[in-house]
C-alpha cells in the first residue's frame, strides 16, 4: 500500500512529485532543498542552508510519525564539495549514535540554484 505524506511545515513540491511516499514500513523522502516553508526564502550560506534542509526533512519525518533514528539512507547533493566539512558537521548533529548509510555527490546545479539538497529513506523500527 502506498501513502502520500505531505506537510505544510516543509516546502511544497515544485514539480510533479510528492514530499514523501510511505510504502509498507519504508518512507521515501524526495530531495529537500533549503526553502523556508513559511517565507519561501532560501538562506545564503551553506551552514544555514544545511540546517534548513534538515529542518524540512525533520518536518516530513514527524508528519510520518518517525524521527532521525528511523533514517537508514541519505543522499546529499552539493554544488561544491569544498562545503563537505561544514555540511558533514551539521548533518551529524541531527543524529544520535547510529548514522545512516550515505553518499555525497557534487552536482553542477540544483533547483533554485541552492547549494545543497538531501533525500532520505527511513523505516519503522
Amino acid at each position: 500500500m502506498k501513502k502520500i505524506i505531505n506537510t505544510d511545515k516543509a516546502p511544497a513540491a515544485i514539480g510533479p512529485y510528492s514530499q514523501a511516499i510511505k510504502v509498507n514500513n519504508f518512507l521515501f523522502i524526495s530531495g529537500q532543498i533549503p526553502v523556508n516553508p513559511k517565507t519561501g526564502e532560501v538562506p545564503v550560506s551553506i551552514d544555514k542552508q544545511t540546517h534548513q534542509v534538515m529542518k524540512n526533512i525533520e518536518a516530513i519525518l514527524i508528519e510520518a510519525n518517525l524521527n532521525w533514528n528511523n533514517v537508514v539512507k541519505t543522499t546529499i547533493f552539493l554544488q561544491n564539495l569544498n562545503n563537505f566539512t561544514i555540511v558533514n558537521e551539521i548533518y551529524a548533529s541531527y543524529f544520535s549514535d547510529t548514522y545512516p548509510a550515505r553518499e555525497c555527490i557534487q552536482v553542477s546545479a540544483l533547483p533554485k540554484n541552492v547549494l545543497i539538497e538531501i533525500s532520505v529513506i527511513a523505516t519503522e523500527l
Side-chain angles (χ1 to χ4, degrees):
M1 185 166 123
K2 180 168 78 168
K3 179 182 178 188
I4 294 172
I5 303 295
N6 190 48
T7 178
D8 61 1
K9 293 180 173 76
I14 57 175
Y17 61 91
S18 301
Q19 285 178 334
I21 298 288
K22 189 171 184 183
V23 179
N24 298 324
N25 292 337
F26 285 94
L27 180 69
F28 300 88
I29 299 178
S30 295
Q32 294 298 299
I33 60 174
V35 173
N36 181 312
K38 293 179 184 173
T39 66
E41 295 177 1
V42 174
V44 176
S45 66
I46 187 61
D47 59 329
K48 289 183 180 173
Q49 284 196 21
T50 304
H51 278 295
Q52 186 63 60
V53 167
M54 299 302 277
K55 289 175 189 174
N56 294 343
I57 292 167
E58 187 170 57
I60 297 168
L61 287 167
I62 290 169
E63 185 68 22
N65 296 313
L66 300 174
N67 60 52
W68 291 109
N69 292 327
N70 298 98
V71 175
V72 295
K73 177 75 166 54
T74 63
T75 302
I76 301 173
F77 302 93
L78 292 175
Q79 266 199 11
N80 186 341
L81 275 177
N82 288 329
N83 290 326
F84 180 80
T85 303
I86 295 166
V87 169
N88 206 42
E89 184 177 310
I90 294 166
Y91 171 94
S93 73
Y94 283 81
F95 295 94
S96 304
D97 297 331
T98 307
Y99 298 109
R102 179 185 88 182
E103 61 261 328
C104 185
I105 304 160
Q106 180 171 306
V107 295
S108 63
L110 290 165
K112 296 188 179 266
N113 203 32
V114 299
L115 304 174
I116 184 170
E117 179 175 351
I118 301 176
S119 63
V120 169
I121 299 172
T123 186
E124 295 175 347
L125 301 175

